[in-house]
Amino acid sequence: MKRFIYIITDRNRNNLHVGLCSDLLKTLQFYHQMPTLFFDSAQQLNRLVYFEEINNEDQAMERFKFVSTFTRPQKEKMIRSVNPDWVDLTIGLNYENSGARTRPMLRPSISAARKLVTF
């Protein structure tokens, strides 16, 4: 089963929260729905800046424990190695999992009209 280790931060990058989950999009939705769960409204955790996908549950737990012990400079170095501009990665995840990459179907009325037209 897939597990995700992630780092989420606020808009000012003051707080770095390390987490472990099995469904990253659902977890991010939870943070969006409960913005003041961990901090006050000025420090809402809403920006995904780093994540790893690990296929083994035991390895994911070990990695989570390891990353959780990192100091802030170590976490920043890890984030900057893959996301130097600290861009919110949620947008890319939403795009990948939406149907945006599938080819849209033509409306039946248009495709039928095209078949009837002959020159």
Side-chain angles (χ1 to χ4, degrees):
M1 175 182 255
K2 285 194 248 183
R3 297 285 179 179
F4 295 92
I5 296 167
Y6 62 89
I7 299 177
I8 192 168
T9 187
D10 57 352
R11 67 178 177 191
N12 296 324
R13 303 183 208 163
N14 290 331
N15 300 302
L16 294 175
H17 175 72
V18 178
L20 173 69
C21 66
S22 59
D23 188 350
L24 190 56
L25 288 175
K26 191 179 284 189
T27 302
L28 294 172
Q29 276 183 334
F30 175 76
Y31 280 108
H32 184 68
Q33 292 171 354
M34 304 288 245
T36 58
L37 181 64
F38 297 110
F39 301 101
D40 63 1
S41 61
Q43 300 172 332
Q44 295 177 6
L45 298 175
N46 58 6
R47 191 174 291 191
L48 177 69
V49 291
Y50 180 85
F51 71 93
E52 297 178 19
E53 181 179 342
I54 300 175
N55 290 326
N56 185 330
E57 192 170 338
D58 295 331
Q59 289 176 352
M61 185 55 99
E62 289 299 317
R63 179 70 175 159
F64 170 70
K65 288 177 184 178
F66 181 65
V67 173
S68 295
T69 63
F70 282 9
T71 62
R72 181 175 178 95
Q74 289 174 313
K75 291 176 189 173
E76 287 181 3
K77 184 177 179 183
M78 189 170 69
I79 293 166
R80 285 197 174 103
S81 69
V82 294
N83 189 0
D85 297 327
W86 292 61
V87 176
D88 186 8
L89 302 174
T90 308
I91 299 165
L93 287 174
N94 287 335
Y95 178 76
E96 268 188 29
N97 289 328
S98 71
R101 295 187 330 173
T102 61
R103 185 175 166 206
M105 294 184 60
L106 292 175
R107 290 182 290 168
S109 60
I110 293 175
S111 61
R114 286 184 182 173
K115 290 178 183 178
L116 296 176
V117 176
T118 58
F119 293 100

